[in-house]
Amino acid sequence: MKTLAFSLAREFKLIVRNGISLFMVAAPALLAVIFIVVFGAVQTSSLTLGADASVSDADAKKLEQVADVARYDTYDALIARIKGPDAVAGVTVENGQTVIVVEGNEGGDFATAMDAIVGAALGTGDLSYSEETIEPKGNRAYDMSMIGVLLLSLFIGGATVGLGIVSERETGAIKAVAVSPLRLGGYVVTKVVPAILLCIAGMIAATLIMGKAEQLPGFLLLAVCSIFVSGMMIFILGAFASNQIAAIGVMKLLMPLSLVLPISAMFLSDKWQFLYYVFPMYWQYIAIRAINDGAAIWQPCLLALGVSLPWFAATVLLFGKKTTLRIGR
Amino acid sequence: MRGVAALCAQDFKQMLKNALFWVLTATLAVIVLVVNFALPAQLASDVSEIVIYNAPQYAYLGETMDSEEALREAVARGNVVGLLGDGESLTVIHPPMSEKTLNAIMGVISGGEPAAVTVKVLDDGARAIPFNQRMAPVFICFEALITGFILGGALMLAEKESGTVKALRISPMGTFRYVISKTLLFSVIGTLYAALICVFCVGFGVAWLPFLLLAFFGTATITLIGLAYTTLMRDMGGWFFSMTLLLAVNMLPVISYSSPSFAPGWMKLIPSYPVLFSFEKAMFGGQIDLAYVVLAMAAWLIIAYALAHMMTRKLFLKGAKGA
């Protein structure tokens, strides 16, 4: 017990000594700020239309009610704008007829939508109404970004400690641990506990900054149920990377895997979702979505815990084999 | 030239020794599987739905809800606009949106006589790009092109931590050769990586010359920025995680790519913005805005090289003579 406590204290000292590690716990929170600011701007952005000199000032004023209108002196300048990287429709007048010009590769119902919007703006409809704004629980792009931020905070907790193990392997300190009274189980505890605490700290910061304080208990439950996922990342790093460069390579692979796999499940139809059931990151994503939607979270959280256990056990055994740490007495 | 080649070979061997090419291969496999099998060709529309309560004159526009609470709940789910009548007036309940967007929606449903307009399509042959393939430029930009940023920085830091940098400082190699060797190696690797993603996700029918030039110079620019940034760091952990923030900012143009009507001026200052949209044109047809892309990329390349050279000389090689 004393050995365990001593090793845990040493682990925390190593993490805290490196101030960057603490900063990185806050990194997902900083990302959350960026996404909130940007998505706020996206939500309140307007359609952009181009109009050349043939469009009268009166019509341009009507169009200004429904879109940001950029005026161009010539038809060619308007066409050049339409062909720009973003999706912008142009309005011109040919033979007394209002014409909407689109590039053709915008996809979807872009041309139809422009037809309806411009036709209505220049038409005779008039509707009086009052309005009220309701904050949505989230749209897909917002959900995806927030899920990415939260999964990142889970990843950083595990990877921060994992790099410490790589450093121990590189310097040979792991050999001293191997001949010490500390067994593999104790060693695992000294690594997993700080990682999950880092993860919890990161998730608290990110959750509060995202303005989801009322959902904090759910996210904390998810963080605790992700203990084996963090552990899995720690010992994958420790097992497959014997030096810092290799560790960067492993993290370069682990990061997209842990982020892209669950997010890609968002787009897959329900009948193929079963392919993701073996991945604990999928259940983390389901849990985050449930928390955001106010649905029951126990099942996905417990599934994240249960599904991650065999993965965790396998990586710990592999790590033990590679480093000859003693498993039992 | 021989010095640059020797440094490139040294870095190449380090990558082989640490199985980094296996990492790139595995990531390539994940990307190909996700693009070809996980992402759909057609995305469900994000256009707002309309729900109605107590306004039967608008019932034809969408779903009629059982109660005001149900209407508000539907709006809170996102991408839904609610029309709430009270007999005499109409209240529009909506998620946050600009006044102009709301006017556009209400103008369409007002039921008035629309003006007669026609639609002209500039390129009849232009095809709507399948959603999954349209994500290929995103993976190219934010996976292939950042290879040099991550791996170049890692090799640089490893040289610092192992003490190899001391030998570099007293060698006649110089800052110029050092920076160019890393940039050249990863530009080639990034270009090859980008080409493989393109071939396996989209096919061979792309405009290869602009594609390869974009990949090469795009990777070069990002690598140089990475080298400059790495000179400020002391250890791998701090460097790796702080770098994720920088790369996340570099990824912001994905928002404009997904929502093309959102393209604020500051977004266009991010180095990946012109590259991402130019990749789309090179891969799926369309005219690249040559003047803008060449100007933007040249400016970023010059700035990135100047920063990388200065910071490598001052902070990493600490006064080693340039070539």
Side-chain angles (χ1 to χ4, degrees), chain A residues 46 100 130-132 137 252, chain B residues 72 76 92 94 118 120 143:
Chain A
S46 303
I100 298 165
S130 55
E131 55 151 328
E132 182 185 329
K137 288 177 183 166
K252 191 183 176 316
Chain B
R72 289 177 181 277
V92 180
H94 58 87
T118 55
K120 180 176 171 181
E143 171 59 33

Side-chain angles (χ1 to χ4, degrees), chain B residues 227-239:
Chain B
L227 292 177
Y229 180 73
T230 306
T231 58
L232 299 169
M233 297 291 140
R234 285 182 305 172
D235 60 87
M236 289 279 189
W239 165 78

